[in-house]
Amino acid sequence: MKIRRNISYLLLVSLMTGLLVSCTGKSNQKPQPAIGSRSVNIIEKRGLKFKDLNKNGKLDIYEDWRLSDDERIADLVSLMTLEEKVGLMFHPNIAVPADGVVKYDLTEEEKAAMAAAADERYTGPVGPGGQTPPGGGMAMGQMRRTATAKSYIEEKHFRNILNNGVAPIREFATWSNKMQEIAEATRLGIPIMFSTDPRHGATLGAHVSGQQYFSQWPSKEGQVGITSSRDTAIVRKFGEVVAEEYRAVGLHMILGPQIDVMTEPRWSRNMGCFSEDANLTAEMLSAFMDGAQGKNVGPRKILVHLKHWPGAGPHNDGTGQWLVYPGDNFDYHLIPWKKGIEKGALAAMGYYSGTFYDSLNVNYSYHMSTEVLYNQLGFKGAICTDWGVVSRGPLKPSLQGKTTLKDNMEMIINAGVDQMGSETNNDLVIELVREGRVTEERINQAAKRILQWHFKLGLFENPYVDPEAAVKIVRSDKNQKLGYQAQLESIVLLVNDGILPAKEGIKIYVEGIDKETAAKYATLVDSPKSADLIIARITTEEERSFPGFGGGAPAPGGAAGSARNTQRRQTNPQQMTAQNNPFAPREINIEVPKAKWDNIKSLAKTGKPVVVAFNPTGSSCVLPSDLKEVAKATIMIFDALDNALLDVIFGKFNPIGRLPFEIPSSMDAVKKQLEDVPFDSENPAFKFGDGLSYNE
């Protein structure tokens, strides 16, 4: 009996302990996290350490890391002013400078210049529906001239900042620490969540440009190259490396991956995607998130920011303007989104596109943001607009040119979107609340969704990094070797007329390849006629900057059609011409430029065998119809370095890459495809999954 009484007593104690933990939210199971403080005192309780973020000398709920994120967020939001909560709803740009020095405030001369310039509310990208700023707008992703730590952190209360700057690693990390120190010293000590666009390409480009200080992986911004490997293990490693190197310098969120499905080959951002196959995209996304976020996002991991909701692949004629579904294949494009949500994604970005449902662009649509993403798919995170969406205005024909930026913000917020990329005029949202056009309850909802990022990343405990450790972590030998292996695996051998792998000791003539690098593999000659083998690397299109950012022209008639494909291949008779409207639809040609191919043919006329490596840089591509007559070997390469390409050509690595999309046989075949349907090109030149190895 005594034994039974003891067991009953232990069970009762256990039950009461469980109830106590449940009621208080406190549990001793959480280990003491690392605490980093520069501007606030440390509170000690029973041997545990906490930060006194609001400087009141006591431990508040939001400062207590033993509690759940939900409890801490609810407490913090209850303490925040309207201005502080609204500040969370903006995601502007501040780029780390090369010298790593924080620009705290403007000089008196700069302030005078700003006072004479246009009103801040009218700066930003401009397009249909937006107001033209005096003196024009700003380039996509550009940092505003008024961006200072004092203005953005202390006065506007911004706590989510896009940093696409490039700097040496020590300077980068030092700058991040100084910015966090300024934030920590404010009233509530809310840390900054720093985001960045992808910056792990073999070379930099697109949204992040300059010298590459991070480890080098295939594709400048996307995952199409790494997908061609079909190697989920290395994709998982890629996620781990991105997280490790980002956190080392004080970055916390990648604005990606881009999980749009490449069903429309003309869209200019296809090379930022994973694949034409939605299921393969979901598989690769899952592996990347396992590495980047892990099972539980914490101080050593980063958050993904999935884009572009609801899947920006099926654009009408590839223009980047209106999403269309002539094959009634909307759900196919949601497959990667469902996987990302299942894996714990807490951030989503809507594109600029107009939708079939209500003729509104995605970010203005309550149906797309709230009814589909939140209610149907069960998304629990925060939605951010793509950069410059607010200034472009709604695409709905009846609203074109009739809304102010304030109207635009009202529509976006009430649609269910929580954050506005690149915008800085927080006064407009404060006015909307005070005028009753946006409820403070809606502001609270957005603030709570966004603050999940900061708490899950552990930033309230320690937002600081070690600059000296960062120098050893970023671009370490381990990470570089992994990145180079991924480059090798990304290369796809499409055609080989028995000339590859190339033999050692031959004479080669190269174009589009660094000659110093090429000379390490064979004898380099200056004339193609003197060569045993000609190797040429070319991009598949003319050099141009993302036309897919176009806002698009309004749909005809002023109302959405009843069917999903009613907007397909229609034009607005009142539309401006392409010459005076950069957002007007245009004919898109994705054939290899004639001048580039004529040059390749002139090389082939020497009678020497030609190897052509095509590097698609934006859209998918249509390769020349006489390809096999001109080139003895054809390779598809996704921004990998020249030495990786030459390692494959000379047999130092046996190619394993497989196409993650199909290559149409002609532009006529492209035009006949349905924008939302995969693998529907008539007699493709190369099929999805094509790729050779040397033992085949």
Side-chain angles (χ1 to χ4, degrees):
M1 290 296 292
K2 186 176 181 181
I3 293 174
R4 289 182 179 177
R5 283 197 300 270
N6 288 341
I7 292 174
S8 298
Y9 173 76
L10 290 172
L11 288 172
L12 179 62
V13 171
S14 177
L15 177 61
M16 292 302 293
T17 301
L19 288 173
L20 181 63
V21 170
S22 176
C23 293
T24 64
K26 297 183 180 180
S27 169
N28 291 327
Q29 292 180 353
K30 284 187 178 181
Q32 168 74 59
I35 300 293
S37 172
R38 296 194 176 188
S39 306
V40 300
N41 294 325
I42 301 298
I43 295 173
E44 292 198 29
K45 276 188 174 289
R46 298 179 182 177
L48 300 177
K49 294 182 178 182
F50 307 85
K51 292 173 71 171
D52 185 15
L53 291 165
N54 62 359
K55 300 90 178 164
N56 66 355
K58 66 178 184 178
L59 181 62
D60 291 275
I61 292 174
Y62 85 95
E63 298 166 339
D64 191 341
W65 48 260
R66 297 171 298 178
L67 303 179
S68 70
D69 289 343
D70 288 344
E71 288 175 286
R72 299 178 72 186
I73 290 169
D75 179 60
L76 177 56
V77 171
S78 73
L79 299 174
M80 296 174 74
T81 63
L82 174 62
E83 290 77 8
E84 288 166 338
K85 289 182 286 190
V86 167
L88 291 171
M89 300 175 69
F90 288 77
H91 202 141
N93 302 25
I94 298 184
V96 56
D99 61 6
V101 175
V102 169
K103 185 178 182 64
Y104 176 72
D105 197 6
L106 299 173
T107 64
E108 292 304 317
E109 292 78 8
E110 289 171 330
K111 289 177 182 178
M114 291 299 104
D119 190 326
E120 171 72 3
R121 77 181 62 194
Y122 295 117
T123 61
V126 186
Q131 292 184 333
T132 303
M138 77 174 189
M140 185 63 59
Q142 180 182 333
M143 187 171 72
R144 297 178 191 274
R145 291 176 297 169
T146 53
T148 65
K150 180 181 179 180
S151 173
Y152 279 27
I153 300 172
E154 296 178 348
E155 297 172 351
K156 293 179 177 289
H157 310 291
F158 297 151
R159 290 299 184 274
N160 300 274
I161 293 174
L162 169 61
N163 177 6
N164 275 355
V166 172
I169 299 306
R170 183 181 290 103
E171 287 78 1
F172 199 130
T174 300
W175 180 89
S176 298
N177 284 344
K178 181 59 179 177
M179 292 287 283
Q180 295 287 6
E181 182 179 345
I182 294 169
E184 189 179 81
T186 59
R187 190 179 77 90
L188 294 173
I190 300 172
I192 302 168
M193 191 288 300
F194 282 112
S195 67
T196 177
D197 280 287
R199 55 168 72 233
H200 271 85
T203 57
L204 289 178
H207 293 90
V208 183
S209 58
Q211 183 175 341
Q212 177 57 290
Y213 291 101
F214 290 76
S215 59
Q216 298 167 288
W217 297 69
S219 301
K220 287 187 177 71
E221 188 178 41
Q223 298 78 36
V224 66
I226 205 165
T227 302
S228 63
S229 72
R230 303 300 198 273
D231 185 348
T232 55
I234 205 163
V235 174
R236 186 176 299 107
K237 286 290 185 183
F238 179 45
E240 291 175 359
V241 169
V242 171
E244 179 186 40
E245 296 192 345
Y246 278 11
R247 289 307 296 255
V249 297
L251 294 169
H252 314 110
M253 173 185 283
I254 182 171
L255 297 187
Q258 189 177 319
I259 57 174
D260 310 296
V261 184
M262 305 163 60
T263 52
E264 168 48 63
R266 289 169 290 187
W267 187 42
S268 68
R269 300 195 64 185
N270 277 332
M271 291 305 118
C273 304
F274 280 101
S275 174
E276 185 173 354
D277 186 325
N279 292 295
L280 179 58
T281 297
E283 180 184 5
M284 292 293 169
L285 170 65
S286 178
F288 180 82
M289 289 184 67
D290 283 343
Q293 288 200 175
K295 292 183 179 180
N296 296 297
V297 177
R300 296 181 181 274
K301 295 295 182 180
I302 61 170
L303 287 166
V304 299
H305 195 139
L306 302 182
K307 61 185 186 184
H308 304 90
W309 173 252
H315 275 105
N316 183 33
D317 292 336
T319 59
Q321 297 163 356
W322 290 94
L323 294 174
V324 292
Y325 303 89
D328 199 29
N329 215 22
F330 177 76
D331 289 342
Y332 183 76
H333 293 264
L334 295 185
I335 290 173
W337 286 93
K338 292 177 180 178
K339 176 58 69 174
I341 293 169
E342 174 193 322
K343 300 289 291 187
L346 290 174
M349 183 186 297
Y351 200 54
Y352 308 91
S353 324
T355 70
F356 65 87
Y357 183 80
D358 48 19
S359 290
L360 288 167
N361 31 349
V362 171
N363 300 274
Y364 291 74
S365 172
Y366 179 85
H367 170 71
M368 295 306 302
S369 297
T370 296
E371 293 181 346
V372 180
L373 185 53
Y374 281 118
N375 296 347
Q376 293 181 24
L377 299 190
F379 180 59
K380 303 297 184 185
I383 305 174
C384 180
T385 71
D386 211 328
W387 265 233
V389 162
V390 177
S391 299
R392 291 170 183 263
L395 295 181
K396 194 176 182 71
S398 60
L399 297 175
Q400 281 286 293
K402 299 178 182 178
T403 62
T404 65
L405 292 184
K406 190 171 173 181
D407 296 331
N408 297 346
M409 289 182 178
E410 176 188 8
M411 293 178 68
I412 287 169
I413 294 168
N414 286 336
V417 175
D418 308 294
Q419 202 173 62
M420 291 167 280
S422 85
E423 300 300 324
T424 61
N425 198 327
N426 54 334
D427 289 341
L428 294 180
V429 177
I430 294 168
E431 290 173 14
L432 286 170
V433 176
R434 290 176 176 160
E435 292 167 7
R437 294 164 63 180
V438 172
T439 67
E440 190 159 0
E441 181 182 10
R442 173 69 187 99
I443 301 298
N444 291 344
Q445 180 188 50
K448 288 176 180 178
R449 288 172 175 171
I450 294 163
L451 282 169
Q452 292 180 92
W453 302 345
H454 304 69
F455 278 102
K456 288 187 178 296
L457 289 161
L459 299 180
F460 278 87
E461 280 60 65
N462 185 19
Y464 300 107
V465 296
D466 181 345
E468 298 309 316
V471 172
K472 298 176 182 177
I473 292 169
V474 178
R475 207 170 186 176
S476 65
D477 289 343
K478 168 184 71 73
N479 293 350
Q480 275 291 80
K481 287 177 182 177
L482 284 168
Y484 191 70
Q485 180 67 24
Q487 290 182 52
L488 292 170
E489 294 186 14
S490 74
I491 296 170
V492 182
L493 177 63
L494 291 175
V495 176
N496 183 19
D497 194 8
I499 65 167
L500 299 183
K503 295 181 175 62
E504 294 184 7
I506 63 173
K507 293 181 290 183
I508 60 172
Y509 174 82
V510 299
E511 287 193 357
I513 293 174
D514 179 69
K515 291 185 178 181
E516 185 175 336
T517 301
K520 297 175 182 178
Y521 290 82
T523 301
L524 201 63
V525 296
D526 294 328
S527 168
K529 293 181 180 180
S530 304
D532 299 313
L533 183 68
I534 297 170
I535 306 171
R537 173 175 178 160
I538 63 172
T539 57
T540 59
E541 57 184 21
E542 301 290 358
E543 309 309 322
R544 54 195 173 96
S545 60
F546 293 117
F549 285 139
S562 58
R564 286 181 173 179
N565 63 343
T566 53
Q567 296 166 7
R568 179 173 167 80
R569 312 200 200 291
Q570 295 177 325
T571 57
N572 181 0
Q574 298 179 342
Q575 182 178 67
M576 299 171 70
T577 65
Q579 283 72 33
N580 60 12
N581 178 13
F583 303 107
R586 63 203 172 281
E587 185 77 17
I588 296 175
N589 181 8
I590 59 171
E591 294 175 310
V592 174
K594 184 177 183 300
K596 291 185 178 184
W597 189 240
D598 283 346
N599 179 60
I600 298 297
K601 289 196 288 187
S602 69
L603 293 174
K605 286 179 181 178
T606 62
K608 302 303 173 71
V610 176
V611 177
V612 182
F614 292 103
N615 195 147
T617 54
S619 308
S620 303
C621 56
V622 172
L623 300 182
S625 58
D626 57 349
L627 174 64
K628 293 182 180 178
E629 288 76 36
V630 174
K632 295 297 182 182
T634 300
I635 294 171
M636 189 66 65
I637 185 169
F638 301 100
D639 298 313
L641 294 171
D642 288 341
N643 53 340
L645 170 62
L646 293 169
D647 274 356
V648 168
I649 288 175
F650 282 88
K652 296 180 182 293
F653 181 81
N654 189 9
I656 64 168
R658 300 292 182 264
L659 278 180
F661 53 88
E662 65 181 10
I663 298 179
S665 57
S666 67
M667 279 305 302
D668 185 56
V670 169
K671 294 174 184 178
K672 291 178 181 178
Q673 290 183 243
L674 300 180
E675 288 92 334
D676 60 328
V677 177
F679 319 126
D680 65 335
S681 183
E682 186 176 278
N683 299 317
F686 296 98
K687 296 179 181 179
F688 169 83
D690 276 358
L692 303 173
S693 295
Y694 291 142
N695 54 3
E696 295 180 11

